[in-house]
Amino acid sequence: MSEFLLGAAPVGLGFIMAASRPGTTVALAPEARDKVVAARKVVERYAQGDAPIYGLNTGLGGNVAFRLDKAQIEAFQVQMVRGRCIGMGEPFPEATARAMWLCRLIGLAQGGSGISPPVLDTMVAMFNAGLTPVIPGRGSIGAGDLGLCAHLGAAVIGLGEIFVKGEKRPAMEALTSAGLQPATLAAKDGLAILNASAVSCGHAAKVLAELSDILFASVAIAGLTDEGYAANPQIFDARLAAARPAGGQERATAMFRAVLAGSYLHDEGAARSIQDALSFRVLAQIYGPALTSFETAVESVETEINAAADNPLVMTDDDLILSTANFHTPAIALAFDTMAIVNTHLATASAYRTIKMMNHHLSGLPKYLSPIGGASNGYNSLQKTASYLHGEIRLKAAPASCDALPVSESVEDHAPQTALTVRKLEEQLVPLRMLFAIEAVVAAQAVDIGKRPRLAPATSVLYQAIRESVPMLVEDRETGPDAMKALAVIAQPAFIAALRRAMPADATGAFALSRKG
């Protein structure tokens, strides 16, 4: 069992994925506890005063003008939690919810919320006992995840449901079984738990971890396609990229040089043409923006996770509590919408490369990559599946961050729909991985039927993994199952790890998550 310290240093998304696994525990770093204690003293001072402080002695949203008596403050925190449990639909999987739970703990450890130390201690104890609040999947508009984080707050006070080793149990029952008591909320504690973007951030970390593997595998798949098609590798000459050093392009060029290092393609006369179709020729130009867009998305989420984004924010050094809009997360929403568009460009090129490998006029290979010819269908009909998948990927590229309705008497009249942009990208990953799996199967067939003499070490790992599950097509057979077997291969963590080990240094860090922290 590993223990991680919260609040000791900024954390990366790799840390989130590692620390949210079953069996790990967390604790507040001493310096984090000092900040939490100091911030709480500021809250308690304001709770005894008369100055209006949002959510401490006032209502929320459209009720901001309502002032609470001091005697009402603590009861209002429970009322606040219960009244804002608005989530609907299928809950997030336990592993994803645990990442969300961890994100909120990291945020509270920054000391900006002013949460009571005993309440935070209860939350840490719940996490360490393997208790994970059940969080419905829908209900946040990205102006903070208040209505979904409310389900975290409900579990802390013994309401709602909690995951325990994959099973949903009533919160009070789960707490009692773990030897824990529900927390008693004091001034501002409810809002401290609720007013955050932890749900979006935890979900985003999980989605980016999955996308990391998909895009890394797709680089090797594109390299294997180059070898099957006998594409010209001179397009990855470093001097060409340096002549127009667009964002990420030089790194992408180096990445593809690394992927194809040692390939027969570098032999004299190996390339089939001096200039290939754009889907082959612009790999660096489209993967460059993919690299930078992925890193932007990662950075936006890491910034939010490590921030004190509370409203109102306790500013201990100045002995102040000020209202803020730092809960708003358009940076994440825009980054995820952009990433979905980027994926569509990668998908379009992948589909076209797949189709071109089957076109004997372009590839010089047998029609439909069939070794028997005649009326043989070969892999031809998989083009229809590729077309369908491309359409679905394109559908999921429509921006979600542009739509919002004013709510709470129009006080909340702007929202980035962050949670929706994350969900939409997650849904896009299903057809995206399938499309790359089709390309991988077809590329392996092109390599075999073209009798390509020597694959690069990196693409050889991919080729061997595919061939262990999918034999060369020698007569017409069911090709959908072939693609599904390839899908299972490229989705295996062990395969991604082996692929990273086989890549030269210029490529191993591509689309990787930082494990800082």
Side-chain angles (χ1 to χ4, degrees):
M1 180 179 291
S2 302
E3 183 174 81
F4 297 94
L5 289 179
L6 304 178
V11 302
L13 298 192
F15 170 90
I16 297 297
M17 300 311 296
S20 59
R21 293 188 185 116
T24 58
T25 60
V26 299
L28 275 183
E31 57 268 38
R33 179 167 292 280
D34 289 345
K35 288 191 291 186
V36 169
V37 170
R40 187 62 199 176
K41 291 179 180 178
V42 177
V43 170
E44 290 173 350
R45 183 178 71 77
Y46 271 92
Q48 296 304 314
D50 295 322
I53 301 297
Y54 182 74
L56 175 66
N57 53 20
T58 76
L60 302 183
N63 285 330
V64 66
F66 183 83
R67 289 294 301 273
L68 297 163
D69 294 332
K70 289 184 177 65
Q72 298 175 301
I73 287 177
E74 291 191 3
F76 177 60
Q77 298 304 305
V78 175
Q79 176 186 331
M80 176 193 304
V81 171
R82 297 188 67 185
R84 283 159 183 81
C85 285
I86 60 172
M88 296 180 65
E90 186 70 19
F92 289 101
E94 181 179 11
T96 305
R98 190 165 172 81
M100 298 168 176
W101 191 215
L102 177 60
C103 286
R104 191 62 201 118
L105 293 179
I106 293 170
L108 292 170
Q110 306 308 310
S113 71
I115 194 168
S116 301
V119 176
L120 182 53
D121 288 341
T122 296
M123 296 174 70
V124 169
M126 290 172 64
F127 184 90
N128 291 342
L131 307 186
T132 303
V134 175
I135 307 170
R138 289 169 167 83
S140 170
I141 59 175
D145 296 326
L146 191 140
L148 295 184
C149 284
H151 295 270
L152 299 177
V156 173
I157 60 176
L159 301 176
E161 292 183 309
I162 287 175
F163 281 117
V164 183
K165 295 181 179 179
E167 295 185 3
K168 288 186 286 186
R169 298 173 61 183
M172 185 62 78
E173 177 186 309
L175 288 166
T176 301
S177 295
L180 299 174
Q181 294 294 320
T184 299
L185 301 183
K188 199 181 181 298
D189 284 340
L191 191 57
I193 300 171
L194 270 57
N195 208 359
S197 300
V199 171
S200 291
C201 287
H203 194 193
K206 182 262 182 188
V207 171
L208 289 175
E210 184 177 357
L211 180 58
S212 168
D213 289 347
I214 292 172
L215 294 186
F216 189 76
S218 78
V219 173
I221 292 168
L224 187 65
T225 297
D226 273 1
E227 291 177 313
Y229 192 74
N232 194 329
Q234 290 183 351
I235 199 67
F236 302 123
D237 190 307
R239 293 167 295 185
L240 301 179
R244 200 282 302 264
Q249 181 175 305
E250 289 185 285
R251 285 192 295 144
T253 302
M255 178 175 69
F256 280 104
R257 282 200 308 274
V259 168
L260 292 174
S263 171
Y264 84 94
L265 287 177
H266 298 290
D267 297 346
E268 186 175 354
R272 51 167 294 284
S273 173
I274 61 169
Q275 183 166 292
D276 297 302
L278 286 176
S279 56
F280 293 89
R281 202 159 21 117
V282 301
L283 279 167
Q285 283 73 19
I286 58 177
Y287 270 89
L291 284 168
T292 57
S293 296
F294 180 82
E295 290 162 359
T296 296
V298 169
E299 181 183 10
S300 69
V301 178
E302 289 182 345
T303 296
E304 190 67 26
I305 289 172
N306 291 292
D310 305 272
N311 179 40
L313 179 67
V314 180
M315 304 171 70
T316 306
D317 290 345
D318 298 308
D319 196 31
L320 286 175
I321 302 179
L322 295 180
S323 290
T324 169
N326 285 341
F327 53 81
H328 221 53
T329 51
I332 299 176
L334 292 170
F336 272 68
D337 267 349
T338 298
M339 199 69 240
I341 295 170
V342 168
N343 287 342
T344 304
H345 283 269
L346 302 182
T348 300
S350 173
Y352 286 159
R353 289 192 300 270
T354 297
I355 292 169
K356 283 178 170 60
M357 281 188 285
M358 300 185 211
N359 186 324
H360 68 287
H361 296 294
L362 297 174
S363 68
L365 299 172
K367 191 174 186 179
Y368 307 146
L369 299 179
S370 170
I372 58 178
S376 173
N377 190 51
Y379 277 109
N380 177 48
S381 289
L382 268 183
Q383 294 183 23
K384 294 181 175 65
T385 311
S387 178
Y388 167 87
L389 293 170
H390 178 265
E392 186 177 356
I393 293 164
R394 172 66 182 83
L395 179 65
K396 296 299 181 181
S401 58
C402 300
D403 299 307
L405 299 174
V407 297
S408 195
E409 296 185 0
S410 294
V411 171
E412 300 173 18
D413 57 359
H414 187 276
Q417 295 286 8
T418 307
L420 181 56
T421 67
V422 176
R423 175 179 292 277
K424 182 173 63 69
L425 184 63
E426 180 180 45
E427 292 171 351
Q428 188 192 51
L429 301 190
V430 176
L432 183 67
R433 202 197 303 258
M434 288 181 175
L435 186 62
F436 288 142
I438 290 175
E439 183 182 358
V441 165
V442 174
Q445 181 73 5
V447 164
D448 284 339
I449 207 166
K451 296 181 172 58
R452 305 311 186 198
R454 186 182 68 259
L455 301 182
T459 56
S460 183
V461 168
L462 170 63
Y463 171 83
Q464 294 296 337
I466 295 296
R467 281 292 172 252
E468 286 175 8
S469 296
V470 183
M472 178 183 175
L473 185 145
V474 295
E475 62 181 0
D476 283 2
R477 67 173 184 237
E478 300 84 350
T479 53
D482 284 357
M484 289 302 294
K485 290 174 183 176
L487 178 69
V489 168
I490 65 175
Q492 292 174 359
F495 163 73
I496 298 297
L499 191 59
R500 287 195 185 274
R501 289 194 298 269
M503 293 278 197
D506 286 343
T508 53
F511 302 112
L513 299 182
S514 167
R515 293 181 62 92
K516 63 185 178 183

